[in-house]
Each structure stands twice: as C-alpha cells, then as structure tokens.
C-alpha cells in the first residue's frame, strides 16, 4: 500500500504515514543528541506526549537528561477506516529508539482526565519506574473533558470574549484563505473551556501523585501556554482559550505552594506559535503563523518544535538562563515577542489578501510543517515504497 496525504475538512489529514512519522521522531532525537546532555538522569511523566510540544518535551528530556519517560496520550491504532493517528506511530517509534538507547519508555493510551488512568500511571511509577518522578510536563490539547467527580462532559470552544469578531483562516486542503467569524462566547462557553483547558486536571494529577508519594525531591512541573501579541489578541488572549490559560497560571501559583514539602516548583511556560494538530484549527492562528515564520526565518530566529523545547529545557527549566515575566511565567517565546519581529509580522498581516498570502508570507514553510505532523514531505522517506500494513499491525505502543 502507498499512502498519500489526503487533507479533509480544511485541516485534518486522513491517514498518517507511519514510516514518515518514524523519520520525524528520529530527526528530533538526532537534534537533541547532537546538542548533548543538559542534566543528569531524570524520570519524567509527560501528559500529552505523543505529538506537538509534548512529544518534543519527551525527546528533549530523554536525550538531554537521559530520562526514562512515561507518556500519556489519547491515540488510536489501525482500524478498518484509518491507519491510526500520527501520535500512535510517534509513540511506537519513540519507544523503539529510546529502548534501543537503553532508556525506559512507557506509553499509556487512554483518557488523562480520568481517575482510573491516573491510578494506572501511579501503579507503573511504583512497580516499574523506580517509585519516584522528577518532572511532570503537562501538554494536553483536548476538545472535551469528562469531570471525574460529576461525570459531566465539558466541551472546550474557540470563541471570543469581546463579542463576535472576524477571523479569517487558512483552508489547508484548498490552500486558500477562507473568511470566517469567531462567535461571541457565553459565560457557559468560557466556564466549559476553563474546565477542559484550564488547570483543574493538572492540579488533580499533582494531588494524586503527591498522595501516592511518588514525587522526588526537587520535582518540577510545567504546563504550556501561549500569550501572543496584537495580531492574535482578539482570538487568543481575549478568547475562551485565553481565559483557560489564565486559570492555568493561577493553578501554577497554587501548585508552587503545594509542592513545598518536596522543594518542588510549578510554572507555566509560554511557548512560541507553531504548527501542531491542535493549533492548525485555531482561526487566524495559521495566517499569523505564516507571517511569523517568514519574519523569524529572515531574522534567523525561527525555531521548530524541538528547537524551541530543547532551548527551554536546556537553558530555562534545567539551565541558569531563565526568562521570567512579571506573572512568574517562563518565556521561551521571547524571540517571537521581540518588538521588531512583531512590527514586521503586523505589517505582513495588514497586507495579506487571498491573492497574495503565498508570496508575502511563509505559507510553504508552514504547509511543510503541517504535512510533517503526519509524516509527509520528509526528504529521506521514499513515499513510493509499499507500506507493509500487516507488519505495522503487529507493532504496539
Ligand atoms: P497536540 O495536539 O500536538 O498534542 C496534544 C496531546 O494531547 C496529544 O498527545 C494527545 O494525544 C493528547 N490528548 C488529547 N486529549 C487527551 C486525553 N483526553 N487524554 C490523554 N491525552 C490526550 O497539541 P500541542 O499544540 O502540542 O498543544 C500542547 C499544549 O501546548 C497546549 O496546552 C497548547 O495550548 C500549548 N501551546 C501550543 C502552541 C502551538 O503553537 N501549538 C503554542 C503555545 C502553547
């Protein structure tokens, strides 16, 4: 079987390319290996570690801190209709490489929001992982969450808290800009989005892990956030997602106190705008990304996912060069936020039309990164080679 990229419904890729995903994971590993170690050995739990920022965190810790890792993610394998999800293959290949390099790599597939899965992870830590973890990276992006206490399922929405706004976006299947609107959020929308993408579940994880006494002295935990500037303010900071991120920040302050008995710390990390499965769906965000990539590549400051996370962990989480803002958040997005960069991005955004956006922005680079999320467009992969589905079915995460 030969797998082609089939983009459906604007920004969803029907099938990932399993061998392409292997090459993408390997590239990330090679990047960190080449930079060398930044910490002594660690044991790390990553919630949402199968793709995007979570996968990069797993790779950076494994290859920069010799870390044994547990990854929690919500992914599916081969079914009648699909060749699994990209995250499924990323989990399989990460484990393959890490185990070959002598590291423990456990993949737990299921609903991170549930009490059962938290207990399953605690059992693994106690029985097969040496009993303690040194860090927890919280990198979930989810459309819904069932509250384990009430059983109620909350849906997160991308809406505006300042009334309906115009929010054109990229249709990645047609490679066009489509006009769009971001609807006004009700209080219920805001509350639901906070329930899903705010800090409540992060706090429940820390509570459960602390009660089980599996946090090592000096334990660190971070959750990823985005801040953005003028160009994305209306859809992000002033959107339902921004409200959820502020809840995450409040949670970090509270967790900092909670972690004092183990001399631990909790903080929010504000990361750069990048193409991931989750961010491709935020209105306007992909257009901003195309303009940002153009400017940052010209300025020589652009970083891809692994470059951004490696610098954050090497210099800031475990290094001595932390950039901290007035709210106590760590800011590896500092290069994106430079005022000259933002000025140039704003100038491109102001000129952008459906006719000229491919010429005046880095649409090609953005699109390439989008394809790579599912293992496509990687130079050292032969896409004409038959994929052995029966062999792939025998692999498990
Ligand atoms: P992603 O879509 O690549 O990864 C999301 C992860 O969450 C996957 O591993 C997925 O399996 C997992 N997941 C989703 N629902 C789950 C569930 N119920 N149980 C277990 N696992 C589940 O997303 P991305 O973009 O890496 O986002 C991670 C975090 O980074 C988010 O908090 C996002 O807001 C933040 N961030 C993203 C930026 C971007 O430009 N992509 C910028 C700054 C922050």
């Amino acid at each position: 079987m030969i797998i082609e990229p089939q983009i459906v419904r604007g920004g969803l890729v029907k099938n990932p390319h399993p061998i392409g995903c292997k090459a993408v994971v390997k590239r990330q590993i090679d990047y960190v290996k080449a930079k060398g170690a930044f910490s002594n050995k660690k044991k790390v739990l990553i919630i949402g570690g199968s793709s995007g920022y979570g996968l990069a965190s797993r790779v950076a810790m494994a290859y920069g801190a010799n870390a044994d890792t547990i990854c929690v993610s919500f992914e599916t394998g081969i079914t009648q209709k699909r060749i699994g999800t990209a995250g499924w293959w990323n989990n399989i290949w990460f484990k393959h490489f890490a185990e070959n390099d002598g590291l423990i790599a456990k993949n737990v597939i299921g609903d991170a929001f549930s009490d059962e899965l938290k207990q399953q992870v605690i059992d693994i830590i106690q029985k097969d992982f040496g009993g303690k973890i040194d860090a927890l990276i919280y990198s979930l992006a989810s459309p819904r969450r069932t509250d384990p206490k009430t059983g109620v399922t909350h849906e997160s929405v991308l809406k505006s808290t300042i009334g309906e706004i115009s929010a054109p976006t990229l249709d990645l299947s047609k490679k066009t800009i489509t006009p769009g609107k971001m609807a006004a959020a009700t209080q219920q929308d805001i509350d639901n989005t906070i329930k899903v993408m705010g800090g409540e579940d992060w706090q429940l994880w820390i509570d459960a892990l602390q009660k089980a006494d599996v946090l090592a002295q000096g334990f660190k935990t971070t959750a990823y956030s985005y801040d953005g500037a003028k160009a994305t303010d209306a859809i992000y900071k002033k959107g339902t997602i921004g409200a959820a991120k502020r809840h995450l920040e409040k949670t970090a302050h509270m967790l900092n106190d909670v972690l004092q008995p183990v001399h631990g710390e909790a903080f929010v990390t504000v990361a750069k705008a990048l193409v991931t499965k989750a961010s491709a769906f935020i209105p306007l965000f992909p257009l901003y990304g195309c303009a940002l990539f153009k400017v940052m590549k010209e300025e020589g400051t652009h970083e891809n996912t692994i470059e951004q996370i490696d610098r954050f962990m090497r210099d800031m989480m475990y290094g001595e060069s932390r950039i901290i803002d007035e709210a106590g958040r760590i800011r590896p997005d500092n290069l994106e936020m430079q005022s000259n960069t933002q000025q140039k991005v704003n100038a491109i955004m102001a000129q952008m039309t459906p006719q000229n956006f491919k010429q005046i922005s880095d649409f090609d680079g953005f699109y390439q990164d989008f394809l790579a999320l599912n293992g496509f467009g990687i130079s050292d992969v032969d896409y004409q080679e038959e994929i052995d589905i029966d062999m792939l079915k025998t692999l498990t995460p």
Side-chain angles (χ1 to χ4, degrees):
M1 177 175 190
I2 288 173
I3 308 169
E4 309 269 353
Q6 259 182 289
I7 306 175
V8 289
R9 279 201 286 124
L12 262 185
V13 175
K14 189 168 177 216
N15 283 314
H17 196 284
I19 306 305
C21 290
K22 183 177 186 180
V24 172
V25 171
K26 171 97 175 24
R27 275 187 180 184
Q28 293 202 13
I29 291 174
D30 288 346
Y31 177 80
V32 182
K33 267 189 180 172
K35 297 209 80 170
F38 57 77
S39 161
N40 58 355
K41 185 160 184 77
K42 299 284 181 251
K43 297 211 171 246
V44 184
L45 170 60
I46 303 110
I47 315 289
S50 61
S51 64
Y53 274 130
L55 173 62
S57 304
R58 188 181 201 188
V59 171
M61 287 304 297
Y63 287 89
N66 203 20
D68 295 327
T69 55
I70 301 172
C71 163
V72 174
S73 63
F74 197 80
E75 304 292 346
T76 43
I78 298 177
T79 61
Q80 293 281 17
K81 287 191 182 154
R82 290 188 67 195
I83 305 167
T85 54
W88 175 268
W89 298 110
N90 294 341
N91 282 339
I92 286 175
W93 301 125
F94 175 85
K95 184 175 178 174
H96 162 84
F97 290 122
E99 287 183 346
N100 275 347
D101 290 325
L103 298 169
I104 300 173
K106 304 224 172 261
N107 292 316
V108 181
I109 310 282
D111 182 11
F113 297 127
S114 70
D115 289 343
E116 294 73 23
L117 190 129
K118 290 182 175 72
Q119 189 53 50
Q120 195 185 333
V121 169
I122 288 167
D123 290 345
I124 292 173
I125 297 170
Q126 288 173 332
K127 292 186 189 126
D128 307 318
F129 209 64
K132 301 269 184 198
I133 55 168
D134 300 292
L136 183 156
I137 311 294
Y138 193 85
S139 188
L140 273 193
S142 175
R144 67 188 61 82
R145 167 174 174 239
T146 300
D147 184 327
K149 293 202 170 55
T150 61
V152 174
T153 300
H154 301 269
E155 306 275 341
S156 82
V157 291
L158 291 166
K159 288 191 183 176
S160 158
T161 63
I162 50 166
E164 184 182 90
I165 52 167
S166 127
T169 199
L170 261 187
D171 181 327
L172 287 155
S173 57
K174 299 192 186 120
K175 299 189 182 175
T176 53
I177 294 185
T178 46
K181 287 195 167 38
M182 195 182 228
T186 61
Q187 189 56 46
Q188 183 77 35
D189 289 329
I190 299 171
D191 294 345
N192 278 333
T193 308
I194 291 174
K195 266 280 186 190
V196 182
M197 290 297 286
E200 194 174 271
D201 181 61
W202 186 22
Q203 185 187 342
L204 289 175
W205 269 102
I206 298 295
D207 282 353
L209 295 163
Q210 202 165 32
K211 275 199 192 96
D213 192 24
V214 297
L215 302 182
Q217 286 293 317
F219 170 82
K220 292 179 196 290
T221 185
T222 193
Y224 293 121
S225 179
Y226 182 68
D227 205 39
K230 195 171 151 238
T232 53
D233 248 16
I235 50 129
Y236 208 96
K237 239 188 236 166
K238 294 175 184 151
T240 43
I241 183 75
K245 293 300 186 187
R246 283 190 292 277
H247 185 268
L248 203 62
E249 285 157 24
K250 273 193 219 142
T251 308
H253 291 302
M254 197 263 294
L255 291 179
N256 240 325
D257 295 338
V258 166
L259 290 171
Q260 285 321 301
V262 290
H263 302 105
E265 62 170 345
F267 50 86
V268 160
T269 300
V270 186
K272 173 184 193 273
L274 277 168
V275 194
T276 63
K277 196 168 84 182
S279 69
F281 284 100
I282 302 178
L284 197 76
F285 201 73
L287 291 177
Y288 170 76
C290 293
L292 180 74
F293 285 18
K294 165 96 174 169
V295 174
M296 292 188 81
K297 284 180 187 176
E298 276 172 7
E299 289 181 337
T301 55
H302 181 72
E303 290 170 313
N304 63 24
T305 318
I306 190 65
E307 289 165 341
Q308 162 82 161
I309 291 300
D310 179 88
R311 179 167 66 89
F312 154 62
M313 289 183 162
R314 190 175 294 276
D315 293 355
M316 302 185 202
M317 185 152 166
Y318 288 98
E320 300 297 319
S321 315
R322 279 193 181 180
I323 302 171
I324 306 178
D325 66 15
E326 64 296 341
R329 303 173 302 179
I330 295 194
R331 304 297 300 254
D333 68 334
N334 59 317
L335 301 173
E336 171 182 352
M337 301 313 293
Q338 292 183 123
S339 61
N340 60 325
T341 303
Q342 285 299 320
Q343 273 164 23
K344 289 182 196 164
V345 170
N346 289 339
I348 294 176
M349 300 279 293
Q351 288 169 37
M352 232 181 215
T353 66
Q355 289 71 40
N356 71 8
F357 76 99
K358 287 184 193 155
Q359 285 75 45
I360 68 168
S361 78
D362 184 30
F363 170 77
D364 288 342
F366 188 92
Y367 189 71
Q368 243 171 27
D369 287 359
F370 173 73
L371 288 182
L373 295 177
N374 283 283
F376 293 105
I378 309 301
S379 53
D380 39 355
V381 175
D382 178 1
Y383 292 98
Q384 294 314 308
E385 200 173 299
E386 291 279 337
I387 303 273
D388 184 348
I389 294 288
D390 290 332
M391 182 283 284
L392 289 172
K393 277 185 186 162
T394 65
L395 304 177
T396 51

